[in-house]
């Protein structure tokens, strides 16, 4: 299609098209850079049956830690722009012509072993998924089950995460042969303690690692997990981990929030942009109300780190 001036016009992508093409694009760029990368979560989890199919709001990619910088550089050359980084496990990118975000991870919350060890284990157990008519490596059935469980357990009180966890438990109850490979992968990647709620629900007895192993990383996980519904904790952690020079970009990002997540948290919101400002006000009011509890949780975490 061309415009009256004779120049080609842009054709808008739907979000599902954008997700599939973003996966295909990043897989191709990773190969070109000589970087190992795995599609994960979203369509991969649905492909393996661990999640009901639904539209995702972003494309998730796990890349070997040494490959993060070259892949981000290549994406930047193609117009992908990095958003302020307030998470220590991923970089979120946007593109003016793309209807979705791209989350590039070099680690994943809940895996307490070193990121290189985790990636190698997930790479060894990988499988393949076809997205946008392009086969690409992805986390295998075992790795995807562990990733899905950790993602749900990170904020267990979140409505969607609760239902996804219940779905995963039901599917694993139907596939008891998954017990040994899942527990073996959890042991190798330092996820035995973080996956304990899943193992308890399934009645899978497991000998856990010594409490001292990964103690600081586990304390950070527990802080985020048990405070997942307290926005104040999340905001304080983001500010704590970011250099002060990044705060001017970080604070507006935290206050505004993503539309999809706001509507998920406040499903009663009417359509339209004005309603989003109401949701932001509700979210800010809750965060301010929870600040005393948030400061107390941070202090407990700090004492745990000092004791370790």
């Amino acid at each position: 299609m061309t415009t009256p001036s004779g120049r080609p016009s842009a054709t808008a992508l739907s979000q599902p098209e954008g997700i599939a093409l973003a996966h295909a694009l990043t897989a191709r760029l990773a190969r070109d850079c000589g970087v190992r990368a795995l599609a994960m979560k979203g369509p991969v989890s649905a492909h393996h049956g661990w999640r009901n199919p639904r539209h995702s709001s972003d494309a998730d990619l796990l890349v070997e830690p040494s490959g993060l910088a070259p892949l981000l550089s290549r994406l930047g050359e193609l117009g992908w722009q990095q958003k302020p980084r307030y998470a220590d496990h991923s970089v979120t990118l946007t593109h003016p012509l793309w209807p979705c975000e791209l989350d590039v991870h070099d680690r994943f919350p809940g895996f307490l072993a070193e990121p290189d060890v985790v990636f190698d284990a997930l790479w060894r157990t990988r499988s393949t998924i076809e997205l946008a008519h392009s086969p690409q490596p992805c986390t295998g059935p075992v790795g995807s089950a562990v990733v899905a469980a950790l993602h749900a357990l990170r904020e267990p009180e979140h409505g969607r995460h609760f239902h996804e966890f219940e779905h995963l438990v039901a599917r694993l109850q139907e596939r008891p042969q998954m017990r040994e490979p899942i527990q073996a992968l959890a042991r190798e990647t330092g996820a035995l303690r973080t996956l304990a709620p899943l193992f308890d629900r399934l009645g899978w007895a497991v000998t856990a690692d010594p409490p001292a192993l990964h103690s600081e990383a586990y304390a950070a996980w527990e802080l985020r997990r048990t405070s997942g519904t307290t926005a104040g904790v999340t905001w304080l952690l983001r500010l704590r981990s970011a250099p002060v020079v990044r705060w001017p970009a970080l604070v507006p990002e935290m206050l505004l929030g993503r539309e999809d997540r706001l509507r998920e948290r406040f499903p009663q919101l009417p359509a339209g942009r004005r309603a989003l400002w109401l949701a932001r006000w509700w979210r800010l009011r809750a965060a301010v109300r929870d600040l005393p509890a948030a400061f107390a949780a941070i202090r407990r975490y700090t004492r745990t780190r000092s004791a370790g």
Side-chain angles (χ1 to χ4, degrees):
M1 181 182 297
T2 59
T3 63
S5 64
R7 291 192 298 269
S9 63
T11 300
L13 294 171
S14 68
Q15 192 169 64
E17 291 170 337
I19 295 289
L21 288 169
H23 277 294
L25 172 67
T26 51
R28 171 60 184 272
L29 293 179
R31 288 196 301 270
D32 291 348
C33 295
V35 169
R36 293 179 298 165
L38 293 166
M40 67 171 183
K41 295 177 61 181
V44 177
S45 186
H47 172 71
H48 292 304
W50 304 133
R51 192 188 86 173
N52 286 322
R54 63 173 174 81
H55 293 324
S56 299
S57 59
D58 50 26
D60 287 277
L61 186 78
L62 180 67
V63 61
E64 57 183 325
S66 62
L68 179 65
L71 183 57
L72 291 178
S73 175
R74 188 71 184 94
L75 285 164
E77 293 171 3
L78 297 181
W80 287 87
Q81 302 167 356
Q82 296 183 35
K83 298 180 69 174
R85 185 173 185 177
Y86 52 78
D88 58 4
H89 60 272
S90 67
V91 178
T92 300
L93 303 100
T94 60
H95 193 289
L97 298 180
W98 229 272
C100 64
E101 294 183 340
L102 176 61
D103 279 348
V104 182
H105 301 248
D106 61 351
R107 63 201 68 203
F108 195 81
F111 289 113
L112 306 185
E114 290 299 315
D116 284 322
V117 173
V118 174
F119 184 87
D120 286 343
L122 293 174
W123 180 261
R124 191 180 63 251
T125 58
R126 70 189 182 280
S127 60
T128 302
I129 187 173
E130 184 170 300
L131 294 169
H133 305 291
S134 171
Q136 51 200 276
C138 66
T139 49
V142 175
S144 292
V146 171
V147 167
L150 292 175
H151 183 61
L153 288 170
R154 190 181 180 202
E155 294 182 5
E157 301 303 320
H158 191 292
R160 191 185 76 200
H161 291 175
F162 172 81
H163 292 298
E164 289 184 350
F165 182 74
E166 293 301 312
H167 178 88
L168 176 64
V169 167
R171 298 291 78 77
L172 287 174
Q173 288 172 335
E174 298 168 354
R175 300 172 68 179
Q177 71 275 15
M178 298 295 293
R179 173 178 174 173
E180 288 190 12
I182 285 178
Q183 290 187 338
L185 182 65
R187 186 176 300 280
E188 182 177 0
T189 57
L192 284 178
R193 294 175 73 189
T194 53
L195 287 176
L198 174 68
F199 298 151
D200 289 344
R201 278 292 306 279
L202 292 167
W204 292 0
V206 60
T207 302
D209 290 326
L213 188 63
H214 312 305
S215 58
E216 183 175 328
Y218 182 69
W221 163 264
E222 279 294 291
L223 173 64
R224 291 183 181 274
R225 188 183 71 82
T226 58
S227 306
T229 57
T230 304
V233 170
T234 305
W235 292 3
L236 288 175
L237 285 174
R238 290 173 181 173
L239 292 173
R240 177 191 177 107
S241 61
V244 175
V245 294
R246 290 174 52 193
W247 285 14
L250 183 59
V251 170
E253 175 77 14
M254 291 191 305
L255 293 177
L256 292 177
R258 284 173 40 170
E259 178 176 353
D260 59 322
R261 292 178 181 171
L262 287 170
R263 291 195 175 279
E264 187 176 298
R265 181 173 177 180
F266 304 109
Q268 71 273 30
L269 277 183
R273 307 296 299 179
R274 293 180 62 184
L276 294 179
W277 290 102
L278 179 60
R280 286 164 182 146
W281 163 244
W282 290 342
R283 182 166 167 265
L284 176 61
R285 186 175 58 185
V288 171
R289 181 195 63 214
D290 292 339
L291 274 179
F295 278 114
I298 296 293
R299 284 196 297 270
R300 288 194 300 272
Y301 168 60
T302 303
R303 287 197 296 269
T304 301
R305 291 187 63 185
S306 300

